[in-house]
Amino acid sequence: MSVSADTVATDPSAELAALIGARICHDLVSPVGAIANGVELLSLTGGAAAGPELALVAESCASAEARLRFYRVAFGTREVTDGLPPTEAARLAESYLADTRLALDWQVEAALTRGEVQLGFLALMCAGAALPRGGAVRVRRVSGRWRVTAEAPRVAADMPLWARLSAPGTSGAITPGQVEFLLLGLRAAEAGRRPESRLGDRDLALTV
């Protein structure tokens, strides 16, 4: 499934989609967490219930819960203005990448609004999409903007997709796996910013 980028950029239902995404994440976090707790209780009983199968279920639940909490901020509505403690933002980002081949160095210590953190999370997702073999990612704040840099064995970037960051109204299809590029371009434009990127063979930099 894919959608036209120019349709989303001009459609006011984009905000409704953000609210729906946030609601889904909000409602799924609790049951996934409950499953994880149940698995932990089963493991404490020992016997046949304990084993690699149960450990796999526990790991999957932890990964799902981490992604849902991260997505709730990354894909939520920009109208949320309450602050997000720096330790919480760092924890969400680190948990999101915990089961990947990306090593995260989160260097942001300032308390920011959820809308501002959303830009950082989306930028992190865009960077990760270009690092299929993993790598080291650093996230900082420079002069009030997000600065995401990465070094990796190989950078595989979809150049037309990255070009849309600075031109979110560009025509073309966007797949669900690429939606962070479209949303980051839109949210940055709403904040009066224009993403800037530099892509090399083994390194990249994205400023929002």
Side-chain angles (χ1 to χ4, degrees):
M1 177 183 178
S2 63
V3 298
S4 171
D6 53 341
T7 297
V8 176
T10 58
D11 190 347
S13 65
E15 278 306 304
L16 176 60
L19 286 170
I20 293 173
R23 174 60 186 268
I24 292 173
C25 291
H26 176 273
D27 287 359
L28 288 180
V29 162
S30 292
V32 170
I35 294 173
N37 290 336
V39 169
E40 183 178 0
L41 290 175
L42 285 173
S43 67
L44 293 176
T45 64
E53 297 85 357
L54 200 63
L56 179 60
V57 174
E59 291 173 4
S60 297
C61 285
S63 177
E65 185 176 5
R67 287 179 175 270
L68 286 169
R69 292 186 183 280
F70 180 89
Y71 290 153
R72 187 178 175 186
V73 176
F75 297 128
T77 174
R78 72 181 190 279
E79 296 301 327
V80 179
T81 57
D82 56 316
L84 192 67
T87 53
E88 176 67 6
R91 186 185 68 81
L92 290 175
E94 290 167 356
S95 298
Y96 170 70
L97 296 180
D99 60 349
T100 72
R101 291 187 289 180
L102 296 175
L104 178 63
D105 181 11
W106 184 275
Q107 298 187 352
V108 181
E109 299 181 353
L112 303 167
T113 66
R114 284 179 176 264
E116 185 65 32
V117 174
Q118 179 184 48
L119 292 175
F121 281 6
L122 290 170
L124 177 59
M125 292 182 70
C126 290
L131 307 173
R133 296 184 181 177
V137 183
R138 176 180 295 178
V139 180
R140 299 176 291 159
R141 294 279 293 178
V142 179
S143 299
R145 300 181 68 184
W146 291 96
R147 176 76 170 175
V148 179
T149 56
E151 295 181 355
R154 181 171 72 95
V155 172
D158 183 329
M159 299 307 293
L161 191 61
W162 278 77
R164 288 199 180 114
L165 288 176
S166 56
T170 302
S171 297
I174 293 288
T175 67
Q178 302 169 334
V179 69
E180 60 266 27
F181 287 89
L182 177 58
L183 187 57
L184 177 57
L186 293 174
R187 292 304 193 220
E190 291 164 358
R193 305 180 199 174
R194 183 174 181 176
E196 301 171 0
S197 61
R198 177 186 57 76
L199 300 166
D201 293 334
R202 296 186 178 183
D203 66 312
L204 64 80
L206 174 59
T207 301
V208 183

